[in-house]
Amino acid sequence: MIKLTKHTRFAALLLCAAATLMLAACSGPGTGREQGRGNTYYGNAEDVETVNSAWGSTDIQMTAERMAQSMLADPVISEAAAAPKIRLREVRNLTSEHIDTKGITDMFRVQMMRSRKVRFLADNTNMGEVMEEREFTESMTRRAENKLMSDTDYILTGTVRSIRKQDADRADVYYQITMELVDPQSGEILWTEQNQIRKSTDNRRIGW
Amino acid sequence: MLHTNPLNSGPARSFSRRLAMLLALMASLVMLAGLTGCGGRATHEYADNEDVEVESIQGRMEGDLMLVYAVLRNSSSDDVNDSVYRVEWYDADGFLLEQTSWRPVKVKGGAAMHVRERSTIPGAKEYTLVISNDSRKP
């Protein structure tokens, strides 16, 4: 039997401690997850959402994509000599529920910008920041190019309406989303498109 | 003495000619199969079952954007309420350029439904219409 001296035992202990530390320090890049105890998981943002009949992500996506496809096919855009400049105005929510219509126009603008067939000017949501930056730049350079800011070819407006009906067993909601491209000089409506959505919820339960 | 090549004799020459024709025909068939079977991406595919089927589908370029037009048909007599579809757009190299969100559709029993989708990014050369009728079904 091998008899270990006091120094040998100490060295072995030190070696074990060092190995443990090294394993802990070099245990790889990790899993990239911090998971709690609940059942939270990521879904696909583009999946159809039918939790209830209220306005939802699928309605935003369908509307924005439909509108973008329609406008890109219209000769006002597809046959324009140069990419026209558009300013987003308000899409008014005339329904009884809260709908953030900026969600529609933001997604619409992203789709349209990717096509590179139109240009967008700052709208109400970021006009304040743009004006601050302009004033700063103007004060620094003494240049006044105010015309560029107001040089809008078209403005985009719209409405969201709904009709909601329900009884004890079912609920039905009809959404009508209309968008219009208007020439601000003449007031002429150059393009318009409508998207209609019907959602029904059946509350009946099988059983007794 | 006249020596003749057996292959140049009547029956042998006829056989070799037929063999050559057969080989040429087979080569043509293989090439045709290659052109039709492996000639690009499938125009449509089913994510699960086929309650609603693609009756016809075609795509064309409109300027630099691609338009897809398809007719879907519910071949059964029951309504299909949970069908969804999306269109994927691919560039010339087969890279996914963009895709639509899933579109929910309700197709009445025996009825047809017309689908019209347009790419919004220039450069799409191929497309695939993906249909998922109801993922809960086997």
Side-chain angles (χ1 to χ4, degrees):
Chain A
M1 191 177 168
I2 302 167
K3 194 167 185 176
L4 298 174
T5 63
K6 194 173 159 185
H7 288 101
T8 316
R9 279 202 296 273
F10 179 72
L13 195 66
L14 202 65
L15 187 66
C16 284
T20 309
L21 275 173
M22 201 171 76
L23 280 172
C26 310
S27 58
T31 62
R33 296 184 185 89
E34 292 295 337
Q35 199 165 354
R37 286 188 293 176
N39 284 326
T40 304
Y41 54 89
Y42 280 93
N44 295 317
E46 291 157 349
D47 280 356
V48 171
E49 174 264 307
T50 51
V51 175
N52 57 33
S53 63
W55 181 262
S57 62
T58 302
D59 306 314
I60 294 174
Q61 290 165 349
M62 278 200 303
T63 303
E65 290 173 8
R66 283 252 175 269
M67 296 295 177
Q69 289 185 16
S70 170
M71 187 184 275
L72 286 171
D74 196 277
V76 172
I77 303 300
S78 65
E79 293 174 11
K85 286 192 278 189
I86 299 173
R87 194 189 308 276
L88 289 177
R89 289 293 185 181
E90 189 186 358
V91 171
R92 284 180 294 156
N93 174 21
L94 303 178
T95 72
S96 57
E97 67 180 297
H98 169 73
I99 295 176
D100 180 9
T101 57
K102 195 76 176 70
I104 305 170
T105 50
D106 280 358
M107 188 172 275
F108 169 81
R109 181 165 54 187
V110 168
Q111 289 261 317
M112 295 298 290
M113 288 290 282
R114 282 183 185 157
S115 75
R116 294 279 164 207
K117 293 183 187 300
V118 292
R119 290 179 291 170
F120 282 89
L121 296 174
D123 57 49
N124 287 341
T125 53
N126 52 6
M127 183 64 88
E129 286 86 346
V130 173
M131 288 307 290
E132 275 180 29
E133 183 64 25
R134 275 177 60 84
E135 281 164 18
F136 174 72
T137 310
E138 196 175 342
S139 65
M140 295 296 282
T141 61
R142 301 286 176 200
R143 285 189 303 159
E145 294 172 334
N146 291 325
K147 192 177 180 307
L148 285 174
M149 279 288 287
S150 58
D151 203 10
T152 309
D153 293 317
Y154 308 123
I155 59 166
L156 193 82
T157 62
T159 52
V160 181
R161 290 182 164 87
S162 72
I163 300 170
R164 184 177 288 272
K165 290 185 175 181
Q166 67 180 72
D167 59 19
D169 293 331
R170 63 202 166 105
D172 184 276
V173 59
Y174 164 79
Y175 291 107
Q176 185 189 71
I177 307 101
T178 309
M179 286 173 79
E180 291 170 350
L181 191 70
V182 183
D183 182 338
Q185 305 305 319
S186 66
E188 186 183 2
I189 299 171
L190 298 167
W191 165 88
T192 184
E193 184 60 271
Q194 198 169 69
N195 194 31
Q196 301 176 80
I197 298 169
R198 160 153 270 128
K199 297 165 89 174
S200 301
T201 306
D202 195 341
N203 293 322
R204 281 175 290 194
R205 293 282 183 273
I206 298 169
W208 54 83
Chain B
M1 189 178 172
L2 186 65
H3 292 279
T4 55
N5 186 339
L7 288 175
N8 287 337
S9 64
R13 189 166 52 199
S14 172
F15 173 75
S16 70
R17 191 176 294 162
R18 276 191 210 140
L19 187 66
M21 282 173 65
L22 186 68
L23 286 172
L25 185 68
M26 284 171 69
S28 304
L29 286 172
V30 168
M31 282 171 67
L32 191 66
L35 282 172
T36 54
C38 309
R41 186 170 301 281
T43 57
H44 61 278
E45 60 185 45
Y46 300 95
D48 33 55
N49 59 67
E50 301 179 14
D51 285 348
V52 174
E53 296 174 341
V54 175
E55 193 170 81
S56 67
I57 185 165
Q58 54 186 307
R60 69 161 187 246
M61 295 302 294
E62 286 192 350
D64 52 2
L65 303 177
M66 197 171 201
L67 176 73
V68 165
Y69 174 71
V71 179
L72 311 181
R73 185 171 292 280
N74 179 0
S75 50
S76 75
S77 56
D78 299 326
D79 292 0
V80 172
N81 297 319
D82 302 309
S83 198
V84 295
Y85 75 86
R86 87 183 321 169
V87 178
E88 300 168 341
W89 307 99
Y90 296 88
D91 66 12
D93 298 323
F95 284 24
L96 182 69
L97 201 62
E98 64 168 324
Q99 58 189 4
T100 66
S101 57
W102 287 103
R103 312 264 198 242
V105 287
K106 174 178 179 174
V107 191
K108 290 186 180 295
M113 201 207 143
H114 299 253
V115 166
R116 194 181 173 92
E117 296 286 345
R118 189 185 308 273
S119 65
T120 57
I121 301 176
K125 298 292 177 201
E126 293 183 317
Y127 61 88
T128 300
L129 174 72
V130 185
I131 302 170
S132 173
N133 284 303
D134 188 350
S135 57
R136 290 165 297 183
K137 288 184 181 176

